Amino acid sequence: MGTFISICEVGPRDGFQIEPEFIPTELKVEVIDRLSATGLPKIEVTSFVHPKAVPQLRDAEEVMAKITRRPGTVYAALVPNDKGAMRALAAGVDQIHTVLSASESHNLANVNMTIEESLTKLEAVARLAHEAGIPLYSGISTSFGCPFEGPVPLGRLEYIVARLVDMGATGIGLADTTGMANPAQVRRTLEYLLPRFPGVTWSLHTHNTRAMAIPNILAAIDCGVRHFDASIGGLGGCPFAPGATGNVCTEDLVHCLHAMGYETGIDLDRLIETAQRVEQILGRTLPGQVMKAGKWDRRYPLPERVAARLAAAAP
Ligand code: COA
Ligand code: ZN
């Protein structure tokens, strides 16, 4: 048995949120149900945010109500504040994912709050999750750098993690919102943080903006991280972070992990079919590469000339 790596599919949230044309609710539901049928252990279904901030996800309640809940898949949603948490709980989410940024300017751009204001709101979210008896996973955007401010000091990241852990977050997600992280930095950051917060379930949220997402994930696996966000077809991006493009592509990541001998519990062929269906729904080519190239074990017929030479050379 290879080591198990747990993937959280964020395409329906991080992916869809940046799509300018409204995707009909039925199609969102279809994609989520196809994703769960691949065996994905967790899906971030939607966001309970202000409908004016992210109009694409204004149908969050309806999506939650219409999906088919597959046993074995955890259905989570993103919330920025207590109002979002109340909506998410009423809609029946299994887990709450919170969002705040490690940089003041991105937090203000994204959720219109200072980091301290966000932390106060998230304390209220933590109480609601606790009363409802559901786990809280807290994501930290721009953990590896901010498109406005540049580098984020490790000490600030440590302070934010400490506050989130104090409120009872089970998991901490370090998010590279605009693809600024590199594998050496990921390693440095994790080697600093992991020993300081034993008992936390760590996850990494990567964007492939600068083609470093999979290298960053492999570095994090070496450091002991086992949970990763990924987005079908490589959809994704934050509407409030200039230059943000797609998340690490789920089927490309699963393909890489399986080729290396890791286990994910995911049916890769069904995942690739789902990515193709999402391309069809959105009407454009997505960044995912394995759906175009085929899997690593794809073989091509030998050119006749080569076959003849091989036959002639055979002993
Ligand atoms: N869902 C729906 N409505 C919400 C809400 C939520 N989670 N949070 C606040 N509101 C409503 C309030 O009820 C209030 O309504 P009213 O004007 O009818 O009284 C209104 O929004 C303003 O509330 P306020 O707390 O001042 O919010 P804001 O305007 O400062 O916006 C956020 C703050 C967090 C709600 C908004 O910036 C947001 O939704 N951001 C999400 C960004 C995002 O999803 N980014 C991508 C993911 S990384
Ligand atoms: Zn993201």
Side-chain angles (χ1 to χ4, degrees):
M1 281 269 284
T3 302
F4 191 84
I5 303 290
S6 187
I7 308 283
C8 172
E9 168 63 45
V10 298
R13 196 279 300 170
D14 205 339
F16 287 170
Q17 75 181 7
I18 203 163
E19 289 298 320
E21 290 225 357
F22 186 73
I23 302 161
T25 307
E26 289 64 38
L27 292 177
K28 289 178 179 139
V29 170
E30 181 198 324
V31 170
I32 294 161
D33 288 346
R34 281 177 183 265
L35 287 166
S36 62
T38 69
L40 272 156
K42 192 176 190 180
I43 301 176
E44 205 172 77
V45 175
T46 185
S47 294
F48 291 90
V49 296
H50 197 292
K52 284 211 183 98
V54 186
Q56 178 65 255
L57 302 182
R58 62 180 183 264
D59 57 357
E61 274 85 359
E62 208 183 332
V63 171
M64 277 300 302
K66 289 189 170 158
I67 54 175
T68 304
R69 304 281 278 254
R70 186 190 76 91
T73 298
V74 166
Y75 295 87
L78 189 88
V79 314
N81 56 15
D82 44 344
K83 168 125 191 196
M86 283 187 273
R87 290 176 57 204
L89 291 170
V93 301
D94 297 320
Q95 286 181 6
I96 283 185
H97 288 185
T98 64
V99 57
L100 97 161
S101 308
S103 65
E104 217 48 272
S105 34
H106 184 259
N107 206 57
L108 283 164
N110 198 33
V111 291
N112 195 29
M113 291 182 267
T114 63
I115 292 174
E116 282 304 321
E117 286 166 349
S118 259
L119 286 167
T120 304
K121 289 274 184 201
L122 296 188
E123 270 162 14
V125 172
R127 278 195 295 277
L128 288 166
H130 182 72
E131 282 162 19
I134 69 164
L136 181 71
Y137 282 77
S138 294
I140 308 174
S141 301
T142 65
S143 282
F144 300 92
C146 166
F148 308 110
E149 290 177 27
V152 166
L154 262 184
R156 179 163 352 127
L157 206 49
E158 182 183 7
Y159 166 77
I160 294 173
V161 173
R163 289 285 303 272
L164 295 167
V165 169
D166 279 350
M167 355 175 147
T170 317
I172 299 289
L174 300 175
D176 181 24
T177 310
T178 58
M180 291 169 73
N182 66 69
Q185 180 192 10
V186 166
R187 200 178 289 275
R188 247 186 347 261
T189 306
L190 295 173
E191 282 172 357
Y192 182 84
L193 288 177
L194 266 57
R196 284 172 167 77
F197 300 97
V200 165
T201 301
W202 294 92
S203 73
L204 196 70
H205 176 98
T206 56
H207 281 259
N208 202 35
T209 315
R210 295 178 176 85
M212 291 188 278
I214 288 186
N216 287 337
I217 288 169
L218 297 180
I221 290 177
D222 282 347
C223 295
V225 176
R226 297 289 177 264
H227 296 260
F228 297 94
D229 288 356
S231 187
I232 190 77
L235 293 171
C238 173
F240 306 99
T245 58
N247 290 87
V248 66
C249 166
T250 314
E251 68 275 11
D252 289 357
L253 175 61
V254 168
H255 174 267
C256 171
L257 294 173
H258 287 187
M260 292 174 77
Y262 292 107
E263 304 211 5
T264 65
I266 297 167
D267 180 333
L268 179 56
D269 292 316
R270 289 182 91 164
L271 200 58
I272 292 171
E273 281 164 29
T274 306
Q276 284 160 343
R277 173 67 181 133
V278 174
E279 274 200 332
Q280 199 180 46
I281 288 172
L282 297 179
R284 64 166 204 277
T285 306
L286 295 178
Q289 289 178 280
V290 170
M291 70 171 145
K292 296 163 196 137
K295 295 187 286 185
W296 67 274
D297 56 358
R298 176 176 180 181
R299 297 293 177 269
Y300 295 84
L302 267 182
E304 251 172 57
R305 188 180 55 82
V306 177
R309 288 286 301 273
L310 280 174

